[in-house]
Amino acid sequence: MSGHFESLPGGGASVALDDVEISIIRSLAVQLLELIGPGPAEDGGEDPLAELFAEGPSEPPSDPVLRRLFPDAYGGPGGDPASLEEAEEQREHSAEFRRFTENDLRARKREDALAVIRSLDSLASASGEGGVLKLSREESGRWLGALNDLRLAIASRLDVLHEDDADHLYQLPDDDPRKPMVMAYLWLGGLQETLVTTLMP
């Protein structure tokens, strides 16, 4: 798989995608949507005003991928607390921050994934096959968010915590069952990198 984003005049970006690439990205985005789950309105048909002021969860998700997508705001790698008291304080601050921000963060991630799916569906229906996807600057921002989330999700499944951890993935034999996921991870990284470059002033 190849393909990289290029700048469009006046902002935005374009990328040539074939049928297989469209299918892979779309499938991953759908899986991401399923993992994130529906919003409160989709799930229970609540009053929109009540939904606006609804509080989110205070505990981190149990799924390791969701923990990666919705990390604690305080503490974490490199920030180990010096004492039990400090650890408890970090936990309380993280719980409070999560309660008031996670619903909005989930909604944004859903919208990013949906934007990817819609643009790919539009490209496929317009051409009947692959083609050149053209994105506005706003759509490019949505794609950037979704590509980042997809890479975080795959990295979590591959036990990649830092970019340096991915070095050994290049050496996997072709018959390793993780190989397709590794190829997708690396390919999405290339797409993400070129998209960032196109959006730089």
Side-chain angles (χ1 to χ4, degrees), residues 85-159:
E85 292 80 10
E86 187 177 333
E88 179 61 21
E89 186 177 337
Q90 285 182 358
R91 192 196 68 73
E92 290 174 2
H93 288 321
S94 290
E96 183 176 2
F97 186 83
R98 183 181 296 279
R99 189 165 56 249
F100 293 110
T101 61
E102 187 168 310
N103 282 348
D104 288 341
L105 186 56
R106 281 181 181 263
R108 195 192 79 219
K109 290 180 184 298
R110 272 193 299 272
E111 284 303 313
D112 289 347
L114 279 170
V116 167
I117 293 168
R118 289 175 184 140
S119 58
L120 291 174
D121 287 349
S122 177
L123 176 64
S125 64
S127 65
E129 52 186 33
V132 177
L133 180 67
K134 295 182 179 180
L135 303 172
S136 68
R137 190 164 187 86
E138 180 181 350
E139 290 169 330
S140 297
R142 293 277 189 197
W143 264 74
L144 192 57
L147 287 172
N148 186 62
D149 289 341
L150 290 174
R151 290 195 78 233
L152 285 174
I154 294 173
S156 178
R157 295 294 189 224
L158 292 171
D159 294 323

Side-chain angles (χ1 to χ4, degrees), residues 169-184:
L169 298 177
Y170 292 94
Q171 311 303 324
L172 290 179
D174 290 340
D175 60 353
D176 190 297
R178 297 170 294 170
K179 190 74 171 189
M181 198 181 300
V182 169
M183 296 303 293

